[in-house]
Amino acid sequence: MRRTFTAVAAAAAVVAVGFLVVPVVALFVRAAPGDLLHALTTPAARDALVVSIKTSAIAHACVLVVGTPAAWAIARGRFPGRPLVLALIELPLVLPPAVAGIGLLVTFGRAGLLGGTLDTLGIQIPFTQLAVVLAVAFVEAPFYLRGAIASFEGLDETLLEAGRTLGARPFRLFVRVALPLAAGGLGAASALALARGLGEFGATLLFAGSLQGVTQTLPLAIYAQFEVDLDTALAIGCLFVVFGAALLLALKLVPAWIRFVSPSTFRSAASPSA
């Protein structure tokens, strides 16, 4: 009986792994490397790559700058309604991307909730690169915030208290003690959020459109090229696979790197004279 179960479990593992891996491998098998490299030099792929890098970098920087102190405040604060705040942060994770796109459109569109005010100021957001930035930030922010909050919640309270005892002010405590201690978790959350933002499709399509060279990101370019130039669509897909593999490798290496950092480094950071 034990051998039968072991054999069934092993077979299930092979089927599960094969089901997940074979389609990814098929992307690279379908076309020769030379054809893929040539396809990546086409105007559609090149423009989409530029738009994706530009908008994702801006969106991710905004998420990190705003999200990191916000996560610290939520993680270390004890205030009424905290569970509700956490639920609201996680709510976009369960929303279909199309719903997120419609939500952004009825918020920032000309006839939207804030559209009239923005129109008076001469600001047009939908179907611009700013719309892409907002869409990417909206879908990736919950991934970073939830991971960052968990990282700050898991900090050693004795080290934080030692910093306070030594006279470290809140900002110094946050920058010199909390951030180094939570670096591993923050890095993992940042990588996952960046990957999610780069792969965003639905919200961007509905809120920003798919204008080549303006709002067409890499996922939108794959969709647009699928029936026009399959090689280009495959090439962009392979680019995503390579990027995803690099992110996963980074996620594996960051915790190992953190373990090599001496704990004394963090303790010395708590000193006001550091």
Side-chain angles (χ1 to χ4, degrees):
M1 189 68 178
R2 180 180 299 177
R3 291 182 179 179
T4 301
F5 175 76
T6 301
V8 171
V14 170
V15 171
V17 174
F19 177 73
L20 296 175
V21 172
V22 171
V24 176
V25 174
L27 288 173
F28 295 91
V29 174
R30 175 62 175 75
D35 295 336
L36 294 177
L37 292 176
H38 174 72
L40 285 175
T41 63
T42 60
R46 186 171 60 248
D47 291 344
L49 181 61
V50 171
V51 171
S52 283
I53 292 176
K54 179 181 177 181
T55 55
S56 293
I58 296 173
H60 195 61
C62 292
V63 169
L64 294 181
V65 170
V66 177
T68 305
W72 168 257
I74 296 171
R76 310 308 299 181
R78 295 295 180 266
F79 51 87
R82 185 173 181 273
L84 177 61
V85 172
L86 293 176
L88 291 175
I89 290 174
E90 296 170 349
L91 180 59
L93 296 176
V94 300
L95 293 179
V99 175
I102 294 175
L104 291 170
L105 190 60
V106 297
T107 299
F108 298 103
R110 178 171 295 182
L113 189 63
L114 303 178
T117 302
L118 294 173
D119 191 51
T120 301
L121 298 174
I123 301 175
Q124 300 292 332
I125 295 181
F127 308 106
T128 65
Q129 284 196 357
L130 178 55
V132 180
V133 172
L134 291 178
V136 171
F138 183 83
V139 299
E140 77 167 59
F143 286 86
Y144 179 72
L145 280 171
R146 205 59 192 93
I149 290 171
S151 297
F152 286 133
E153 286 178 336
L155 295 183
D156 189 342
E157 190 63 37
T158 59
L159 294 179
L160 297 176
E161 188 59 37
R164 298 188 188 96
T165 302
L166 292 171
R169 296 182 180 275
F171 178 74
R172 181 182 291 272
L173 186 71
F174 171 66
V175 173
R176 302 298 299 277
V177 181
L179 287 182
L181 284 172
L186 294 178
S190 175
L192 289 175
L194 178 60
R196 178 63 184 88
L198 278 171
E200 167 50 32
F201 177 83
T204 305
L205 180 62
L206 290 177
F207 184 46
S210 182
L211 306 173
Q212 184 176 334
V214 181
T215 63
Q216 189 177 86
T217 58
L218 288 172
L220 294 175
I222 293 176
Y223 181 75
Q225 293 297 316
F226 181 72
E227 295 183 354
V228 178
D229 187 351
L230 183 58
D231 286 340
T232 300
L234 284 171
I236 300 174
C238 291
L239 181 63
F240 265 108
V241 173
V242 172
F243 178 76
L247 275 180
L248 289 175
L249 181 60
L251 289 175
K252 297 295 183 181
L253 293 178
V254 166
W257 176 81
I258 293 295
R259 284 195 294 269
F260 279 104
V261 180
S262 171
S264 61
T265 302
F266 300 133
R267 292 190 175 91
S268 66
S271 173
S273 60

